[in-house]
Amino acid sequence: MPAGFESYLDSGQAQLSAEQLSFTLVKSGLITNANFPSLPVSAVCSFSIDLGSGFHSPIVFFKARGANSRLACRIRPEYVTGQGWVDRYAIDFFKWWNIPLGAPVEYFIFAQYRHPPNTYGMQLLGPTGELNFDATWPNLYIRKVMICPQGQPALTVSNSPSYVINPELPADSFAVGLAAPRQASLTGRGDFQGWVLMDCAYVEAGMIKVNWMMIDIDSTGYGPLPSVISNDAPLLVMAADTRYLPLPYG
């Protein structure tokens, strides 16, 4: 059993542990239509940022309000020949090519990262004296963890209905992050190419809505992929309090 200080969410997940480096904000900003290139119909619409090195296990939260502001993200570790996968990340952001963002979307990237310490406030030290939490850091504060069930939202050729979650939180008080977003493939578009999709989430009328975003097109020439969620499992949907975090940052 772990020793030392720990705190837990109402749902039972650990929020803080003296034995684990806490998740803190490493970058934040606004995403607008200007970030994306102008592309023809049925094209993948994306842009990327280089997060750099030294940030462990990054995760992205979006404050996206309205269906037209939905975004997905893919976190890519860097591969170096002779070294393999290294601790350096790029993040790809995706939107639908034919839907302009309804409003700027705030993004917050958290990672396990040790900021410089301060001389005041609560601190948690690990087993060998390493600083794992400092109350003055821009820490990730999870308000709630929810579940999108396996097999939801459905895959359809037309617009897939969103899976709706009531977070029971003030509508403008949180950003939404997805732990291990799933990928899916979809056929039947009539263009003889399969679409590769990824989970995305947004907030509308105070409700969290989970849906799909296109991140790639299968053009291998071997025919379309089957319509299936490739790593289908219950999806953890997290609401984080971002009201007191700096924007932009990093």
Side-chain angles (χ1 to χ4, degrees), residues 161-219:
S162 298
Y163 183 80
V164 181
I165 302 173
N166 184 0
E168 299 179 334
L169 295 170
D172 201 43
S173 68
F174 62 93
V176 180
L178 305 177
R182 303 161 299 177
Q183 288 194 22
S185 56
L186 178 65
T187 60
R189 298 297 306 185
D191 54 8
F192 303 103
Q193 293 179 320
W195 284 6
V196 181
L197 308 172
M198 177 176 276
D199 283 309
C200 67
Y202 59 97
V203 176
E204 191 170 47
M207 299 292 166
I208 296 174
K209 297 187 177 183
V210 181
N211 210 297
W212 299 104
M213 177 66 63
M214 186 173 74
I215 65 168
D216 204 355
I217 296 175
D218 172 48
S219 55

Side-chain angles (χ1 to χ4, degrees), residues 147-155 160-164 182 199-200 210-212 229 232-235 237:
I147 298 292
C148 177
Q150 183 175 350
Q152 294 291 335
L155 286 173
S160 297
S162 298
Y163 183 80
V164 181
R182 303 161 299 177
D199 283 309
C200 67
V210 181
N211 210 297
W212 299 104
I229 302 175
D232 195 11
L235 174 70
V237 181

Side-chain angles (χ1 to χ4, degrees), residues 231-243:
N231 52 334
D232 195 11
L235 174 70
L236 290 182
V237 181
M238 299 170 290
D241 192 338
T242 57
R243 291 174 293 178

Side-chain angles (χ1 to χ4, degrees), residues 76-152:
R76 293 185 288 111
E78 182 177 329
Y79 186 85
V80 177
T81 302
Q83 300 180 42
W85 298 106
V86 298
D87 192 25
R88 182 182 179 92
Y89 295 90
I91 299 180
D92 305 321
F93 296 95
F94 301 88
K95 80 173 189 71
W96 285 108
W97 77 89
N98 58 343
I99 303 178
L101 292 179
V105 176
E106 299 175 10
Y107 72 89
F108 301 86
I109 304 174
F110 298 89
Q112 288 181 300
Y113 175 72
R114 191 170 284 109
H115 295 261
N118 273 299
T119 57
Y120 59 92
M122 187 179 81
Q123 295 179 333
L124 299 179
L125 303 181
T128 59
E130 70 276 17
L131 181 61
N132 282 340
F133 173 83
D134 188 310
T136 66
W137 291 347
N139 292 290
L140 171 61
Y141 173 36
I142 298 291
R143 295 285 305 276
K144 204 164 189 177
V145 178
M146 298 146 285
I147 298 292
C148 177
Q150 183 175 350
Q152 294 291 335

